[in-house]
C-alpha cells in the first residue's frame, strides 16, 4: 500500500516534532517528506516534493498560511491542505476555507484528533 | 289769521333773519327765493341788498349759477314732505371751491301740503379738506393704518394694512369689521375704545398689562400683542390708536396704526434663549457696573438666584485681594486690548474659584455683556479627561493583554495535550494511565478557561457576530440535558422539563445553546446527589421567559447581585468546587444582552437557586 506523503508547514520546532511523532504512530499510512517554516518556503517545497497533503499553520513570518494556501491551490487545484491553528475564530475558518483549505484542526489536539481528520480527508478521495 | 297778523309775523321773521349769522333761506316750489338771512347774504352776496336776491332762483340768487344744482332734492322734499340733506361742492364766483352741507326742511300750509322749503347751509369746507388730507396721509403711508369714524365705521384702510391683514379696503370700508383680521370674534379694537372715550378699566379688561398710554400723542394708547392668525405663524404687532378731533375738539373718529415687529421679536426671543441656555455664565451690566440680568449658568456658578444678584455691582463677586487690580484694569481698558482678564470669583457659599471674564459692549446701547469662564472647573475637567485617557489606555492594555495571554497560554497547551495523547499510545501501568488522564483533564479545563477569557475579550471589543435564525427551545433543552446525562445519572438527580412543543425564539443558536449548557451544568454541579432540576420555558406574549431551577446549595443573598460579574466566586465551605463560576455566568449574561434579553437569579441559601432569562420571540 502506497504511503501518503506529507509536507509539514509550521514555524514552531516543537510543533513540527510533535506532528512527526504522532504520524510515526501511523507509519504504515503516512510518511513525512519535508517541512517548511513559512509560506514562501511552503510553495517552493510543494512544487519540489509534490506531497499528497500539506499541514498548514496560519500565523507565520515572511508569508502567512492563507496566502500560501491560495498560491499552492493556484498551482495545483488538487492539492490537499489541512489547516492546523490556534486562531479558532469563525472568521479565520471562513478565510482559510475561502482560500481553498480542505480540512481544519484546532490547537490543542490529540493524536486521535489528527489521525481522524487525516483519515477523513484521504477517505474523501 | 288776519292780514295784519300775517304782516306782523313776517316782520318778526325778517328781524330774526336779519340778526342770525346762520345761512338760511326759504324757497317755493319753483326754487324761487322767498326770504334769506343776513348771514346768507354775507356769505354769498356780500354788499347786495336782500331785495335783489328775493324772487330769483336759488342757484342764481345765491351763487350766480345758471343751472339747477346736480342732484337737487328740493322737488322730492315738496312731494314727500320729508327733510333731506345733501353735501355740495361749489365753485364760488370768487373762484374758490367750497363744501356745503345743506339741510332742506319742509314748511307745511293749512291743509298739510308743503308750501315752502327752508334751506339751511353749513360750510363744511374745513372738515372736508381735513378728511381729504387725512386720506392722502393714510393712503400714502407705508405704515399699516386704518381710520374709523364716530359711528365705528371704517373710513380709511390703506394698502399697507391690506397687505398685513389680507383684507381689501373694498371689503371693509363702511363696515365695522376692524376686529376681523385680529380676533376670532367681534370685539372692540383700540380705535373703538378711543372713539367711545373708554375708561382705563376698559383698556385693562381688553389688553391686560400689554397696553400703555402713548407718551407722544395726547389721548393715544398703544399696546403690544401676538396675533396667531396673522401671516404664516402669527405676528407680533405694536398698535397705536389716536383720537381724531374736529376744530372744536370733539372726537369724531380714531386712527390706528399697526407695526409688525415679528422679526425683531423673533430675533429678541432667539437672543434671549441663547443668553439663557448657553453653557457659559453670562451677566449684563449697565453704565455704573450694576448687574441688570444674569443667566441660568451664572446662577449655577455663583449659587445666587437672579433676584438676589440683579441690582448688585458685579465687582461684589471679586475676591478682595483682586478687587483693586480688576477695577484698575477695567477702568483703564483701551479698545485695542482684549476686554478679558482673570480674577478670583467668590460664590454664595464663600468659595473662590479662578475665572476669566470678557466684557463686551452691546452695540447701540449702554449695556455690556460679561461672559465668564470657570478656570477651576476647566482644570478639573482636564484632570478628569486625563484620567479617562489613562483608563482607556488601561482598557486597551487589558484587551491586548487578554489577547496575548490567550495565545501565549494556548501555545504551550498544544504540546501538553499532544504529548499526553502520545504517551497514552505506549504501554502504561494503571497509575501512569491515571496520571495522564489527570493531565488531560486539567489541560482541558485550562483550555476551556482560556476560551472563556478570549470570548469575553471579543465581546468587549464588539467583535461578536450574531447569526440570527428561528431557534427551537425544546430541541436545545433536550440536546443539552441528554449531553449531560452521564453526569446527572451519576449523581442520581432527576431533571424535569416544562417546555411547550412550539416555543421558538429569534436568536443565535450556538449562543443560546451555550446559555442552557452553562446553567444546566451549574445546576448539576451545585445540586446534591438525588436532587431535582427543573427547566421551564413560558411564552409571555412579548418574549420567552426561561427558568432553570435546582434544589442545590443555593447562593447567599448578599452574593446574588454579583454572581454575573467576572471572576466572582461565592466563597463558602460548600462551594470549594466553584472553580468555573468565574467567567461562565459573565459570558452568558453578555449573550442574553446581545439578544436584548435580561438574566437574573433568585435563591434560598441551602434550598436551591432559580436562574431566569428572557429571549425575543420568533418573528412572525
Amino acid at each position: 500500500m502506497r504511503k501518503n506523503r506529507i509536507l509539514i508547514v509550521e514555524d514552531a520546532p516543537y510543533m513540527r516534532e510533535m506532528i512527526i511523532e504522532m504520524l510515526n504512530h501511523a507509519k504504515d499510512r503516512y510518511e513525512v517528506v519535508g517541512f517548511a517554516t513559512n509560506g514562501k518556503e511552503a510553495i517552493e517545497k510543494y512544487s519540489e516534493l509534490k506531497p499528497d497533503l500539506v499541514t498548514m499553520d496560519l500565523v507565520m513570518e515572511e508569508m502567512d498560511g492563507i496566502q500560501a494556501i491560495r498560491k499552492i491551490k493556484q498551482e495545483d487545484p488538487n492539492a490537499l491542505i489541512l489547516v492546523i491553528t490556534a486562531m479558532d475564530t469563525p472568521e479565520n475558518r471562513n478565510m482559510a476555507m475561502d482560500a481553498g483549505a480542505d480540512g481544519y484542526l484546532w490547537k490543542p489536539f490529540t493524536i486521535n484528533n489528527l489521525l481522524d481528520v487525516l483519515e477523513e480527508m484521504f477517505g474523501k478521495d | 289769521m288776519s292780514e295784519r297778523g300775517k304782516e306782523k309775523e313776517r316782520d318778526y321773521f325778517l328781524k330774526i333773519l336779519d340778526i342770525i349769522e346762520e345761512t338760511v333761506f326759504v324757497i317755493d316750489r319753483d326754487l324761487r327765493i322767498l326770504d334769506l338771512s343776513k348771514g346768507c347774504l354775507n356769505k354769498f352776496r356780500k354788499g347786495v341788498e336782500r331785495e335783489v336776491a328775493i324772487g330769483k332762483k336759488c342757484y342764481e340768487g345765491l351763487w350766480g349759477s345758471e343751472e339747477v344744482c346736480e342732484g337737487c332734492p328740493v322737488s322730492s322734499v315738496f312731494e314727500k314732505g320729508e327733510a333731506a340733506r345733501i353735501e355740495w361742492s361749489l365753485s364760488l364766483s370768487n373762484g374758490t371751491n367750497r363744501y356745503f352741507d345743506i339741510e332742506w326742511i319742509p314748511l307745511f300750509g293749512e291743509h298739510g301740503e308743503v308750501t315752502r322749503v327752508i334751506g339751511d347751509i353749513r360750510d363744511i369746507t374745513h372738515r372736508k379738506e381735513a378728511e381729504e388730507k387725512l386720506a392722502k396721509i393714510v393712503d400714502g403711508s407705508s405704515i399699516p393704518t386704518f381710520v374709523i369714524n364716530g359711528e365705528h365705521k371704517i373710513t380709511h384702510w390703506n394698502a399697507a394694512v391690506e397687505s398685513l391683514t389680507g383684507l381689501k379696503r373694498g371689503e371693509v370700508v363702511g363696515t365695522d369689521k376692524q376686529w376681523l383680521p385680529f380676533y376670532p370674534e367681534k370685539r372692540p379694537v383700540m380705535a373703538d375704545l378711543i372713539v367711545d372715550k373708554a375708561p382705563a378699566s376698559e383698556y385693562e379688561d381688553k389688553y391686560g398689562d400689554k397696553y400703555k398710554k402713548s407718551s407722544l400723542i395726547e389721548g393715544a394708547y398703544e399696546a403690544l400683542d401676538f396675533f396667531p392668525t396673522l401671516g404664516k405663524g402669527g405676528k407680533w404687532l405694536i398698535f397705536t390708536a389716536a383720537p381724531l378731533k374736529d376744530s372744536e375738539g370733539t372726537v369724531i373718529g380714531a386712527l390706528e396704526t399697526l407695526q409688525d415687529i415679528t422679526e425683531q421679536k423673533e430675533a429678541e426671543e432667539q437672543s434671549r434663549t441663547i443668553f439663557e441656555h448657553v453653557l457659559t455664565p453670562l451677566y449684563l451690566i449697565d453704565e455704573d457696573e450694576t448687574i441688570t440680568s444674569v443667566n441660568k449658568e451664572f446662577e449655577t456658578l455663583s449659587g445666587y438666584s437672579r433676584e438676589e444678584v440683579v441690582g448688585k455691582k458685579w465687582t461684589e463677586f471679586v475676591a478682595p485681594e483682586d478687587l483693586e487690580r480688576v477695577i484698575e484694569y477695567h477702568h483703564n481698558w483701551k479698545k485695542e486690548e482684549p476686554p478679558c482678564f482673570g480674577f478670583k470669583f467668590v460664590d454664595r457659599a464663600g468659595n473662590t474659584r479662578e475665572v476669566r471674564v470678557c466684557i463686551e459692549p452691546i452695540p447701540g446701547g449702554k449695556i455690556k455683556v460679561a461672559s465668564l469662564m470657570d478656570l477651576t472647573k476647566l482644570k478639573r475637567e482636564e484632570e478628569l479627561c486625563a484620567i479617562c485617557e489613562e483608563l482607556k489606555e488601561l482598557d486597551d492594555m487589558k484587551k491586548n493583554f487578554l489577547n496575548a495571554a490567550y495565545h501565549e497560554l494556548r501555545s504551550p497547551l498544544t504540546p501538553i495535550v499532544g504529548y499526553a495523547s502520545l504517551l497514552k499510545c505506549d504501554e502504561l501501568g494503571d497509575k501512569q494511565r491515571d496520571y495522564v488522564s489527570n493531565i488531560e483533564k486539567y489541560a482541558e479545563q485550562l483550555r476551556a478557561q482560556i476560551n472563556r477569557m478570549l470570548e469575553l475579550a471579543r465581546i468587549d471589543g464588539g467583535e461578536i457576530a450574531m447569526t440570527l435564525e428561528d431557534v427551537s427551545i425544546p430541541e436545545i433543552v433536550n440536546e443539552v440535558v441528554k449531553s449531560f446525562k452521564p453526569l446527572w445519572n451519576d449523581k442520581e438527580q432527576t431533571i424535569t422539563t416544562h417546555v411547550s412543543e412550539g416555543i421558538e425564539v429569534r436568536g443565535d443558536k450556538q449562543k443560546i445553546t451555550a446559555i442552557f449548557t452553562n446553567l444546566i451544568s451549574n445546576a448539576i454541579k451545585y445540586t446534591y446527589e438525588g436532587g431535582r432540576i427543573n427547566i421551564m420555558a413560558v411564552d409571555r406574549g412579548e418574549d420567552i421567559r426561561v427558568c432553570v431551577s435546582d434544589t442545590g446549595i443555593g447562593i447567599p443573598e448578599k452574593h446574588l447581585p454579583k454572581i454575573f460579574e467576572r471572576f466572582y466566586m461565592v466563597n463558602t465551605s460548600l462551594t470549594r468546587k466553584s472553580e468555573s463560576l468565574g467567567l461562565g455566568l459573565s459570558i452568558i449574561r453578555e449573550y442574553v444582552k446581545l439578544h436584548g434579553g435580561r438574566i437574573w437569579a433568585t435563591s434560598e441559601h441551602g434550598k436551591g437557586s432559580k436562574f431566569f432569562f428572557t429571549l425575543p420571540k420568533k418573528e412572525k
Side-chain angles (χ1 to χ4, degrees):
Chain A
M1 181 179 164
R2 190 181 92 81
K3 287 182 188 176
N4 289 308
R5 301 167 68 253
I6 293 174
L7 170 66
I8 298 171
V9 185
E10 171 67 65
D11 60 351
Y14 65 87
M15 282 300 302
R16 290 198 297 268
E17 273 167 40
M18 190 181 82
I19 295 171
I20 292 169
E21 285 284 349
M22 285 176 172
L23 293 176
N24 272 343
H25 280 265
K27 269 187 203 158
D28 54 329
R29 278 167 287 164
Y30 308 115
E31 181 191 0
V32 176
V33 291
F35 62 85
T37 59
N38 64 50
K40 222 173 143 193
E41 232 180 278
I43 296 162
E44 287 163 15
K45 284 275 164 78
Y46 185 85
S47 45
E48 179 194 326
L49 300 168
K50 296 277 177 230
D52 298 310
L53 183 140
V54 184
T55 73
M56 182 70 75
D57 190 12
L58 288 187
V59 187
M60 290 174 297
E61 308 239 335
E62 201 80 31
M63 183 193 281
D64 69 33
I66 300 288
Q67 285 187 56
I69 296 171
R70 231 176 257 137
K71 280 266 157 77
I72 291 171
K73 281 279 179 181
Q74 245 173 41
E75 297 287 313
D76 180 6
N78 293 324
L80 264 188
I81 298 174
L82 169 64
V83 169
I84 301 182
T85 181
M87 308 281 288
D88 57 345
T89 61
E91 298 80 54
N92 265 320
R93 179 192 276 266
N94 286 340
M95 215 150 69
M97 291 301 168
D98 284 348
D102 303 278
Y104 205 91
L105 186 64
W106 288 352
K107 293 176 186 174
F109 57 92
T110 64
I111 176 169
N112 287 339
N113 295 146
L114 176 66
L115 296 182
D116 285 352
V117 77
L118 286 177
E119 202 162 314
E120 197 187 313
M121 285 174 76
F122 284 115
K124 268 188 215 159
D125 285 355
Chain B
M1 195 185 279
S2 66
E3 271 311 302
R4 203 178 137 71
K6 278 184 186 169
E7 200 74 9
K8 212 166 182 181
E9 193 186 68
R10 187 176 154 72
D11 275 354
Y12 281 135
F13 185 63
L14 285 175
K15 265 193 189 119
I16 291 168
L17 287 182
D18 263 353
I19 53 170
I20 59 171
E21 269 305 306
E22 263 72 32
T23 43
V24 183
F25 60 99
V26 185
I27 52 171
D28 64 10
R29 200 175 279 271
D30 293 330
L31 305 182
R32 286 191 194 282
I33 298 172
L34 301 174
D35 272 315
L36 72 170
S37 71
K38 193 84 168 208
C40 227
L41 286 170
N42 286 346
K43 185 94 193 171
F44 302 110
R45 307 299 297 262
K46 194 114 186 150
V48 173
E49 286 300 310
R50 180 183 284 152
E51 283 67 27
V52 177
I54 286 176
K56 294 226 164 74
K57 297 260 188 186
C58 57
Y59 47 88
E60 195 194 344
L62 288 175
W63 38 81
S65 165
E66 287 173 6
E67 279 170 43
V68 63
C69 308
E70 201 184 324
C72 177
V74 172
S75 56
S76 135
V77 174
F78 272 98
E79 270 161 39
K80 291 184 182 158
E82 287 168 8
R85 198 167 173 175
I86 191 158
E87 280 183 15
W88 257 321
S89 155
L90 292 175
S91 296
L92 297 187
S93 46
N94 63 7
T96 57
N97 218 17
R98 295 201 79 82
Y99 293 93
F100 299 104
D101 175 11
I102 308 179
E103 194 166 7
W104 303 98
I105 303 148
L107 292 173
F108 298 97
E110 281 163 28
H111 307 294
E113 79 285 11
V114 180
T115 53
R116 290 159 292 170
V117 165
I118 299 177
D120 180 3
I121 306 178
R122 249 171 305 163
D123 189 336
I124 54 163
T125 309
H126 284 300
R127 201 190 88 202
K128 271 288 180 192
E129 278 173 1
E131 273 179 20
E132 270 172 16
K133 213 183 264 173
L134 181 66
K136 254 183 215 162
I137 293 170
V138 169
D139 290 340
S141 170
S142 59
I143 301 167
T145 308
F146 66 89
V147 178
I148 61 169
N149 64 17
E151 282 82 49
H152 298 278
K153 299 277 193 295
I154 296 170
T155 57
H156 300 82
W157 189 267
N158 74 1
V161 81
E162 280 185 343
S163 81
L164 175 74
T165 62
L167 278 181
K168 294 282 163 215
R169 71 184 70 189
E171 300 172 66
V172 289
V173 166
T175 74
D176 56 1
K177 288 183 187 163
Q178 49 271 35
W179 58 273
L180 187 62
F182 308 106
Y183 301 106
E185 54 196 50
K186 185 168 179 173
R187 57 157 276 181
V189 302
M190 194 165 261
D192 292 312
L193 297 181
I194 298 272
V195 166
D196 289 341
K197 297 194 206 75
S201 62
E202 191 79 14
Y203 286 91
E204 205 156 313
D205 182 43
K206 293 285 183 286
Y207 298 102
D209 56 359
K210 292 175 197 143
Y211 85 99
K212 62 175 190 215
K213 268 192 167 157
S214 167
S215 52
L216 295 171
I217 309 160
E218 173 82 33
Y221 284 86
E222 60 183 48
L224 166 67
D225 206 352
F226 183 71
F227 296 92
T229 54
L230 284 181
K232 269 183 191 162
K235 279 186 187 300
W236 283 97
L237 299 179
I238 292 180
F239 41 103
T240 310
L244 294 174
K245 295 174 180 171
D246 66 9
S247 50
E248 278 139 34
T250 314
V251 174
I252 53 161
L255 175 144
E256 186 164 332
T257 61
L258 307 156
Q259 192 188 346
D260 182 358
I261 56 149
T262 311
E263 270 177 39
Q264 290 104 293
K265 199 73 186 165
E266 276 169 2
E268 208 175 277
E269 283 296 308
Q270 241 171 45
S271 306
R272 209 187 56 75
T273 309
I274 293 170
F275 178 78
E276 191 54 29
H277 295 287
V278 71
L279 290 174
T280 303
L282 297 174
Y283 56 95
L284 302 180
I285 47 177
D286 64 14
E287 276 173 313
D288 64 348
E289 315 298 326
T290 306
I291 295 177
T292 60
S293 181
V294 303
N295 70 353
K296 223 183 259 169
E297 200 63 17
F298 184 89
E299 288 183 308
T300 311
L301 175 82
S302 66
Y304 287 101
S305 73
R306 63 193 69 197
E307 290 77 20
E308 290 172 306
V309 171
V310 168
K312 281 190 178 177
K313 299 249 190 247
W314 72 272
T315 43
E316 284 181 40
F317 297 100
V318 180
E321 65 264 34
D322 282 351
L323 197 55
E324 205 179 318
R325 184 177 56 83
V326 163
I327 290 175
E328 196 170 315
Y329 185 91
H330 186 55
H331 279 262
N332 298 335
W333 172 64
K334 292 176 197 73
K335 281 252 148 62
E336 56 268 25
E337 290 173 41
C340 300
F341 49 90
F343 66 89
K344 286 192 199 68
F345 183 96
V346 185
D347 69 14
R348 193 176 208 264
N351 298 322
T352 52
R353 48 179 77 222
E354 291 289 336
V355 300
R356 184 172 164 79
V357 66
C358 291
I359 301 179
E360 280 287 351
I362 297 174
K366 288 161 185 166
I367 301 286
K368 284 177 277 189
V369 60
S371 58
L372 286 174
M373 193 194 284
D374 185 346
L375 299 175
T376 305
K377 189 175 157 200
L378 207 67
K379 207 172 150 199
R380 206 167 50 230
E381 276 166 6
E382 269 168 18
E383 280 165 9
L384 275 176
C385 228
I387 292 173
C388 274
E389 277 298 312
E390 268 172 43
L391 281 176
K392 208 177 151 290
E393 266 173 43
L394 265 175
D395 197 52
D396 284 346
M397 260 170 71
K398 185 196 82 186
K399 267 182 215 161
N400 290 339
F401 171 77
L402 281 176
N403 268 322
Y406 164 71
H407 292 294
E408 293 303 312
L409 290 172
R410 177 80 82 101
S411 298
L413 200 55
T414 308
I416 292 173
V417 170
Y419 279 109
S421 71
L422 275 170
L423 203 52
K424 267 167 58 181
C425 296
D426 292 341
E427 291 288 316
L428 295 178
D430 286 348
K431 240 185 185 174
Q432 286 80 4
R433 193 156 284 279
D434 263 2
Y435 295 163
V436 176
S437 288
N438 277 339
I439 292 173
E440 283 188 322
K441 182 177 152 197
Y442 291 110
E444 169 54 27
Q445 276 186 18
L446 185 56
R447 190 194 62 82
Q449 190 64 10
I450 294 167
N451 278 355
R452 288 191 203 102
M453 279 169 60
L454 177 79
E455 186 69 359
L456 274 176
R458 292 175 66 211
I459 291 170
D460 288 349
E463 293 166 32
I464 290 287
M466 296 275 285
T467 315
L468 292 183
E469 57 185 318
D470 293 335
V471 180
S472 160
I473 293 297
E475 218 171 85
I476 290 182
V477 170
N478 286 339
E479 266 171 39
V480 174
V481 169
K482 210 170 120 194
S483 73
F484 284 122
K485 194 167 182 186
L487 287 180
W488 53 268
N489 257 353
D490 263 10
K491 292 179 89 175
E492 294 175 348
Q493 293 164 335
T494 326
I495 296 193
T496 50
T497 56
H498 292 94
V499 183
S500 315
E501 268 299 301
I503 290 195
E504 282 186 279
V505 298
R506 184 77 184 161
D508 185 311
K509 189 172 179 186
Q510 209 185 329
K511 293 182 179 66
I512 293 170
T513 306
I515 298 169
F516 277 103
T517 303
N518 180 281
L519 291 180
I520 293 171
S521 75
N522 277 350
I524 295 169
K525 199 184 294 176
Y526 297 113
T527 299
Y528 306 101
E529 296 199 349
R532 287 188 317 274
I533 292 159
N534 180 41
I535 300 144
M536 202 161 69
V538 210
D539 184 341
R540 294 198 310 160
E542 73 270 31
D543 57 14
I544 303 292
R545 180 152 117 181
V546 179
C547 174
V548 176
S549 59
D550 62 54
T551 57
I553 57 173
I555 304 159
E557 206 179 329
K558 62 171 181 173
H559 294 300
L560 271 178
K562 295 182 171 175
I563 54 170
F564 295 100
E565 288 175 15
R566 290 170 196 192
F567 296 111
Y568 193 78
M569 297 263 201
V570 182
N571 256 335
T572 73
S573 58
L574 281 167
T575 60
R576 26 179 221 285
K577 284 186 185 172
S578 63
E579 65 276 344
S580 65
L581 192 66
L583 287 176
L585 286 176
S586 310
I587 291 176
I588 66 166
R589 178 178 64 173
E590 299 299 336
Y591 284 171
V592 171
K593 269 161 62 181
L594 282 169
H595 283 88
R598 218 159 63 78
I599 184 164
W600 70 101
T602 62
S603 182
E604 217 175 314
H605 195 206
K607 291 197 170 171
S609 310
K610 286 181 179 173
F611 281 81
F612 298 91
F613 64 93
T614 61
L615 289 173
K617 278 173 78 166
K618 168 195 172 179
E619 282 176 358
K620 274 176 195 149

